[in-house]
Amino acid sequence: QVQVVESGGGLVQSGGSLRLSCAASGIIFRLYAMGWYRQAPGNQRELVAVINRDGSINYSDSAKGRHNISGDNAQNTVTLQMNNVRPEDTAVYYCYAQVRSVVTGSRFTVWGQGTQVTVSS
């Protein structure tokens, strides 16, 4: 079925930057939203940045002003450029996509396997 494949993540120093990318693939589908969530140990999974179908973008308060999300509709990809990272950004980051099959009409929320981002002091 539909899958999302993540790339990026790793270890970065405080104040540095890194880039996360995600691509959706699989059977024919319509993409309604795509972006990134994160989850730190002991915390709930929270939104970082998502691009919606209408082109609007939702950023968390923490991400706003530091990170930028962009998308390529033709390739069903999103990229999260993380800038000025802080130790509290340390978490597992999950690619998120909300899709609908154009064949069956079924709607799905698809999650990536997660990629670790660790920010050192």
Side-chain angles (χ1 to χ4, degrees), residues 17-30:
S17 63
L18 74 164
R19 184 175 65 187
L20 307 180
S21 297
C22 182
S25 63
I27 61 174
I28 298 175
F29 62 91
R30 177 71 181 271

Side-chain angles (χ1 to χ4, degrees), residues 8 71 82 94:
M82 302 176 62
Y94 295 91

Side-chain angles (χ1 to χ4, degrees), residues 5-11 18-22 36 80 114-117:
V5 180
E6 303 157 325
S7 62
L11 177 64
L18 74 164
R19 184 175 65 187
L20 307 180
S21 297
C22 182
W36 290 90
L80 180 68
T115 183
Q116 177 71 45
V117 172

